[in-house]
Structures are given as structure tokens and as C-alpha cells.
Short mmCIF file of all heavy atoms in Angstrom, two decimals:
data_model
loop_
_atom_site.label_atom_id
_atom_site.label_comp_id
_atom_site.label_asym_id
_atom_site.label_seq_id
_atom_site.Cartn_x
_atom_site.Cartn_y
_atom_site.Cartn_z
N LYS A 1 36.35 -196.33 119.76
CA LYS A 1 35.83 -196.63 118.41
C LYS A 1 34.37 -196.15 118.33
O LYS A 1 33.80 -195.67 119.27
CB LYS A 1 35.98 -198.07 118.11
CG LYS A 1 37.38 -198.56 118.17
CD LYS A 1 38.32 -197.88 117.11
CE LYS A 1 39.70 -198.45 117.21
NZ LYS A 1 40.67 -197.79 116.22
N GLN A 2 33.75 -196.40 117.17
CA GLN A 2 32.38 -195.96 116.93
C GLN A 2 31.38 -196.54 117.91
O GLN A 2 30.46 -195.93 118.38
CB GLN A 2 32.01 -196.23 115.49
CG GLN A 2 30.58 -195.72 115.17
CD GLN A 2 30.24 -196.01 113.70
OE1 GLN A 2 31.00 -196.53 112.99
NE2 GLN A 2 28.96 -195.67 113.38
N SER A 3 31.53 -197.87 118.22
CA SER A 3 30.55 -198.55 119.01
C SER A 3 31.02 -198.95 120.43
O SER A 3 30.23 -199.49 121.19
CB SER A 3 30.19 -199.89 118.31
OG SER A 3 29.61 -199.55 117.01
N PHE A 4 32.31 -198.66 120.77
CA PHE A 4 32.76 -198.95 122.11
C PHE A 4 33.94 -198.07 122.46
O PHE A 4 34.60 -197.52 121.64
CB PHE A 4 33.20 -200.49 122.18
CG PHE A 4 34.46 -200.79 121.54
CD1 PHE A 4 35.64 -200.81 122.18
CD2 PHE A 4 34.48 -201.06 120.13
CE1 PHE A 4 36.83 -201.09 121.58
CE2 PHE A 4 35.66 -201.43 119.49
CZ PHE A 4 36.86 -201.41 120.22
N PHE A 5 34.21 -198.05 123.74
CA PHE A 5 35.45 -197.39 124.22
C PHE A 5 35.86 -198.02 125.54
O PHE A 5 34.98 -198.56 126.32
CB PHE A 5 35.36 -195.91 124.33
CG PHE A 5 34.42 -195.35 125.34
CD1 PHE A 5 34.75 -195.12 126.70
CD2 PHE A 5 33.07 -195.11 124.98
CE1 PHE A 5 33.88 -194.61 127.62
CE2 PHE A 5 32.17 -194.63 125.93
CZ PHE A 5 32.57 -194.39 127.24
N LEU A 6 37.16 -197.97 125.88
CA LEU A 6 37.70 -198.47 127.08
C LEU A 6 38.23 -197.33 127.99
O LEU A 6 38.95 -196.48 127.49
CB LEU A 6 38.78 -199.50 126.81
CG LEU A 6 39.49 -200.09 128.04
CD1 LEU A 6 38.56 -200.97 128.87
CD2 LEU A 6 40.79 -200.89 127.53
N GLN A 7 37.79 -197.33 129.22
CA GLN A 7 38.24 -196.27 130.11
C GLN A 7 38.90 -196.84 131.34
O GLN A 7 38.46 -197.84 131.91
CB GLN A 7 37.07 -195.43 130.55
CG GLN A 7 37.49 -194.30 131.52
CD GLN A 7 36.37 -193.91 132.56
OE1 GLN A 7 35.47 -194.73 132.81
NE2 GLN A 7 36.42 -192.67 133.02
N SER A 8 40.05 -196.24 131.67
CA SER A 8 40.73 -196.64 132.97
C SER A 8 40.84 -195.41 133.84
O SER A 8 41.10 -194.31 133.37
CB SER A 8 42.12 -197.17 132.65
OG SER A 8 42.07 -198.43 131.91
N ASN A 9 40.69 -195.56 135.13
CA ASN A 9 40.67 -194.48 136.06
C ASN A 9 41.27 -194.96 137.43
O ASN A 9 40.86 -195.98 137.93
CB ASN A 9 39.23 -193.97 136.18
CG ASN A 9 39.10 -193.09 137.42
OD1 ASN A 9 38.37 -193.37 138.34
ND2 ASN A 9 39.78 -191.97 137.45
N ILE A 10 42.20 -194.17 137.90
CA ILE A 10 42.71 -194.36 139.31
C ILE A 10 41.99 -193.36 140.19
O ILE A 10 42.07 -192.18 140.05
CB ILE A 10 44.22 -194.10 139.36
CG1 ILE A 10 44.92 -195.18 138.51
CG2 ILE A 10 44.67 -194.20 140.81
CD1 ILE A 10 46.44 -195.00 138.49
N ASP A 11 41.22 -193.89 141.18
CA ASP A 11 40.46 -192.97 142.01
C ASP A 11 40.96 -193.06 143.47
O ASP A 11 40.45 -192.34 144.32
CB ASP A 11 38.94 -193.27 141.98
CG ASP A 11 38.57 -194.68 142.35
OD1 ASP A 11 39.44 -195.45 142.75
OD2 ASP A 11 37.41 -195.05 142.23
N ARG A 12 41.94 -193.92 143.77
CA ARG A 12 42.66 -193.91 145.05
C ARG A 12 44.09 -194.14 144.76
O ARG A 12 44.46 -195.17 144.18
CB ARG A 12 42.05 -195.02 145.97
CG ARG A 12 40.60 -194.97 146.27
CD ARG A 12 40.20 -193.75 147.16
NE ARG A 12 38.85 -193.93 147.59
CZ ARG A 12 37.81 -193.55 146.82
NH1 ARG A 12 38.04 -192.93 145.64
NH2 ARG A 12 36.56 -193.67 147.31
N ALA A 13 44.99 -193.33 145.31
CA ALA A 13 46.45 -193.50 145.24
C ALA A 13 47.01 -192.66 146.33
O ALA A 13 47.30 -191.46 146.19
CB ALA A 13 46.96 -193.15 143.85
N TYR A 14 47.26 -193.27 147.50
CA TYR A 14 47.76 -192.49 148.58
C TYR A 14 48.67 -193.29 149.51
O TYR A 14 48.67 -194.53 149.48
CB TYR A 14 46.57 -191.96 149.41
CG TYR A 14 45.66 -193.01 150.00
CD1 TYR A 14 45.97 -193.60 151.23
CD2 TYR A 14 44.44 -193.43 149.42
CE1 TYR A 14 45.16 -194.62 151.86
CE2 TYR A 14 43.62 -194.38 149.99
CZ TYR A 14 44.01 -194.94 151.19
OH TYR A 14 43.18 -195.90 151.73
N VAL A 15 49.40 -192.56 150.28
CA VAL A 15 50.23 -193.15 151.35
C VAL A 15 49.71 -192.65 152.65
O VAL A 15 49.27 -191.48 152.79
CB VAL A 15 51.73 -192.73 151.16
CG1 VAL A 15 51.87 -191.19 151.14
CG2 VAL A 15 52.62 -193.29 152.30
N GLU A 16 49.63 -193.54 153.62
CA GLU A 16 49.08 -193.23 154.94
C GLU A 16 50.04 -193.56 156.06
O GLU A 16 50.59 -194.67 156.07
CB GLU A 16 47.76 -193.97 155.14
CG GLU A 16 47.05 -193.63 156.44
CD GLU A 16 45.66 -194.37 156.49
OE1 GLU A 16 45.65 -195.54 156.21
OE2 GLU A 16 44.69 -193.72 156.78
N TYR A 17 50.16 -192.61 156.98
CA TYR A 17 51.08 -192.83 158.17
C TYR A 17 50.21 -192.68 159.39
O TYR A 17 49.46 -191.67 159.53
CB TYR A 17 52.19 -191.81 158.14
CG TYR A 17 53.13 -191.88 159.35
CD1 TYR A 17 54.11 -192.92 159.33
CD2 TYR A 17 52.96 -191.09 160.44
CE1 TYR A 17 55.00 -193.03 160.45
CE2 TYR A 17 53.81 -191.20 161.55
CZ TYR A 17 54.84 -192.12 161.56
OH TYR A 17 55.67 -192.31 162.60
N ALA A 18 50.23 -193.65 160.30
CA ALA A 18 49.42 -193.64 161.46
C ALA A 18 50.30 -194.10 162.59
O ALA A 18 50.86 -195.21 162.64
CB ALA A 18 48.18 -194.50 161.35
N ARG A 19 50.36 -193.23 163.64
CA ARG A 19 51.16 -193.56 164.86
C ARG A 19 50.53 -192.82 166.02
O ARG A 19 50.43 -191.58 165.97
CB ARG A 19 52.63 -193.18 164.63
CG ARG A 19 53.53 -193.72 165.69
CD ARG A 19 54.95 -193.67 165.34
NE ARG A 19 55.78 -194.40 166.24
CZ ARG A 19 57.10 -194.70 166.04
NH1 ARG A 19 57.65 -194.32 164.91
NH2 ARG A 19 57.78 -195.31 166.95
N GLY A 20 50.27 -193.53 167.08
CA GLY A 20 49.73 -192.88 168.26
C GLY A 20 48.34 -192.32 167.89
O GLY A 20 47.52 -193.00 167.34
N ASN A 21 48.11 -191.07 168.27
CA ASN A 21 46.88 -190.42 167.97
C ASN A 21 46.82 -189.70 166.67
O ASN A 21 45.84 -189.08 166.32
CB ASN A 21 46.55 -189.39 169.07
CG ASN A 21 46.28 -190.01 170.46
OD1 ASN A 21 45.89 -191.18 170.44
ND2 ASN A 21 46.51 -189.35 171.53
N TRP A 22 47.90 -189.81 165.90
CA TRP A 22 48.06 -189.08 164.58
C TRP A 22 47.84 -189.99 163.41
O TRP A 22 48.19 -191.10 163.42
CB TRP A 22 49.41 -188.42 164.48
CG TRP A 22 49.59 -187.20 165.31
CD1 TRP A 22 50.16 -187.09 166.55
CD2 TRP A 22 49.18 -185.83 165.01
NE1 TRP A 22 50.14 -185.83 166.98
CE2 TRP A 22 49.48 -184.99 166.05
CE3 TRP A 22 48.48 -185.30 163.91
CZ2 TRP A 22 49.23 -183.69 166.13
CZ3 TRP A 22 48.21 -183.93 163.91
CH2 TRP A 22 48.58 -183.14 164.92
N GLU A 23 47.17 -189.45 162.38
CA GLU A 23 47.09 -190.04 161.09
C GLU A 23 47.29 -189.00 160.03
O GLU A 23 46.83 -187.84 160.12
CB GLU A 23 45.66 -190.61 160.84
CG GLU A 23 45.37 -191.85 161.66
CD GLU A 23 44.00 -192.37 161.38
OE1 GLU A 23 43.29 -191.80 160.42
OE2 GLU A 23 43.53 -193.32 162.00
N LEU A 24 48.15 -189.34 159.07
CA LEU A 24 48.46 -188.41 157.86
C LEU A 24 48.26 -189.21 156.66
O LEU A 24 48.79 -190.30 156.47
CB LEU A 24 49.88 -187.89 158.05
CG LEU A 24 50.30 -186.99 156.87
CD1 LEU A 24 49.52 -185.63 156.90
CD2 LEU A 24 51.78 -186.73 156.99
N ARG A 25 47.50 -188.71 155.72
CA ARG A 25 47.21 -189.37 154.43
C ARG A 25 47.47 -188.36 153.32
O ARG A 25 46.91 -187.27 153.32
CB ARG A 25 45.80 -189.88 154.34
CG ARG A 25 45.46 -190.64 153.06
CD ARG A 25 44.03 -191.11 153.03
NE ARG A 25 43.77 -192.25 154.01
CZ ARG A 25 42.63 -192.89 154.08
NH1 ARG A 25 41.64 -192.56 153.31
NH2 ARG A 25 42.54 -193.86 154.95
N VAL A 26 48.27 -188.80 152.34
CA VAL A 26 48.66 -187.90 151.18
C VAL A 26 48.36 -188.59 149.94
O VAL A 26 48.85 -189.77 149.72
CB VAL A 26 50.13 -187.47 151.32
CG1 VAL A 26 50.50 -186.60 150.17
CG2 VAL A 26 50.49 -186.86 152.66
N GLY A 27 47.63 -187.97 149.03
CA GLY A 27 47.40 -188.49 147.69
C GLY A 27 45.88 -188.49 147.34
O GLY A 27 45.09 -187.83 148.02
N ARG A 28 45.51 -189.20 146.34
CA ARG A 28 44.13 -189.27 145.87
C ARG A 28 43.30 -190.14 146.90
O ARG A 28 43.65 -191.35 147.06
CB ARG A 28 43.93 -189.76 144.48
CG ARG A 28 42.47 -189.84 144.06
CD ARG A 28 42.32 -189.87 142.59
NE ARG A 28 42.64 -188.53 141.95
CZ ARG A 28 42.54 -188.22 140.70
NH1 ARG A 28 41.96 -189.14 139.87
NH2 ARG A 28 42.92 -187.05 140.22
N GLN A 29 42.34 -189.58 147.54
CA GLN A 29 41.60 -190.31 148.63
C GLN A 29 40.21 -189.76 148.70
O GLN A 29 39.89 -188.73 148.11
CB GLN A 29 42.39 -190.03 149.93
CG GLN A 29 42.45 -188.52 150.26
CD GLN A 29 43.34 -188.22 151.45
OE1 GLN A 29 42.88 -188.47 152.58
NE2 GLN A 29 44.53 -187.67 151.25
N ARG A 30 39.42 -190.53 149.41
CA ARG A 30 38.02 -190.04 149.72
C ARG A 30 37.99 -189.43 151.09
O ARG A 30 38.36 -190.07 152.11
CB ARG A 30 37.04 -191.16 149.60
CG ARG A 30 35.67 -190.67 150.05
CD ARG A 30 34.53 -191.40 149.27
NE ARG A 30 33.22 -190.97 149.74
CZ ARG A 30 32.70 -189.81 149.45
NH1 ARG A 30 33.34 -188.99 148.59
NH2 ARG A 30 31.46 -189.45 149.90
N ILE A 31 37.59 -188.19 151.19
CA ILE A 31 37.41 -187.48 152.47
C ILE A 31 35.91 -187.36 152.73
O ILE A 31 35.20 -186.54 152.17
CB ILE A 31 38.03 -186.10 152.47
CG1 ILE A 31 39.55 -186.20 152.08
CG2 ILE A 31 37.90 -185.37 153.77
CD1 ILE A 31 40.21 -184.82 151.83
N ASN A 32 35.44 -188.25 153.56
CA ASN A 32 33.98 -188.42 153.74
C ASN A 32 33.56 -187.76 155.06
O ASN A 32 33.76 -188.25 156.13
CB ASN A 32 33.64 -189.89 153.73
CG ASN A 32 32.12 -190.17 153.87
OD1 ASN A 32 31.32 -189.24 153.71
ND2 ASN A 32 31.76 -191.41 154.16
N TRP A 33 32.93 -186.59 154.90
CA TRP A 33 32.40 -185.84 156.06
C TRP A 33 30.84 -185.92 156.12
O TRP A 33 30.28 -185.24 156.95
CB TRP A 33 32.93 -184.44 156.02
CG TRP A 33 34.34 -184.27 156.35
CD1 TRP A 33 35.22 -185.28 156.64
CD2 TRP A 33 35.09 -183.08 156.39
NE1 TRP A 33 36.54 -184.79 156.83
CE2 TRP A 33 36.47 -183.38 156.74
CE3 TRP A 33 34.78 -181.76 156.21
CZ2 TRP A 33 37.48 -182.50 156.85
CZ3 TRP A 33 35.82 -180.79 156.34
CH2 TRP A 33 37.15 -181.18 156.63
N GLY A 34 30.25 -186.70 155.24
CA GLY A 34 28.81 -186.78 155.23
C GLY A 34 28.27 -187.60 156.33
O GLY A 34 28.86 -188.53 156.84
N GLN A 35 27.00 -187.33 156.75
CA GLN A 35 26.28 -188.07 157.73
C GLN A 35 25.01 -188.75 157.21
O GLN A 35 24.66 -189.82 157.57
CB GLN A 35 25.93 -187.20 158.91
CG GLN A 35 27.10 -186.57 159.72
CD GLN A 35 27.71 -187.69 160.67
OE1 GLN A 35 27.08 -188.74 160.87
NE2 GLN A 35 28.86 -187.34 161.18
#
């Protein structure tokens, strides 16, 4: 509207499989390689 608005956002939506030394993640995710 003129004076307000409502926003919805999905910023994570993923499935993760982890077994042994392996990890697999599929979907919206954060891939953080920064130091």
C-alpha cells in the first residue's frame, strides 16, 4: 500500500545427506568460503 508493504522471503530450503566422510546439500543454502 502507499504507506506500508509486507515482504516474505525463503532464504534457506535444502535437503542434506551426511554419511561417513561425505556431505551432500541440495537447495537454497549459504556457501560460505569467506575468511
Side-chain angles (χ1 to χ4, degrees):
K1 301 297 182 181
Q2 181 179 357
S3 299
F4 73 93
F5 65 89
L6 177 66
Q7 180 210 25
S8 294
N9 164 243
I10 295 177
D11 58 7
R12 303 288 189 276
Y14 61 83
V15 56
E16 184 176 47
Y17 179 81
R19 189 164 190 171
N21 292 337
W22 283 99
E23 289 183 3
L24 179 66
R25 183 181 288 185
V26 180
R28 179 160 292 187
Q29 57 187 288
R30 173 147 180 78
I31 303 172
N32 183 12
W33 288 0
Q35 294 283 348

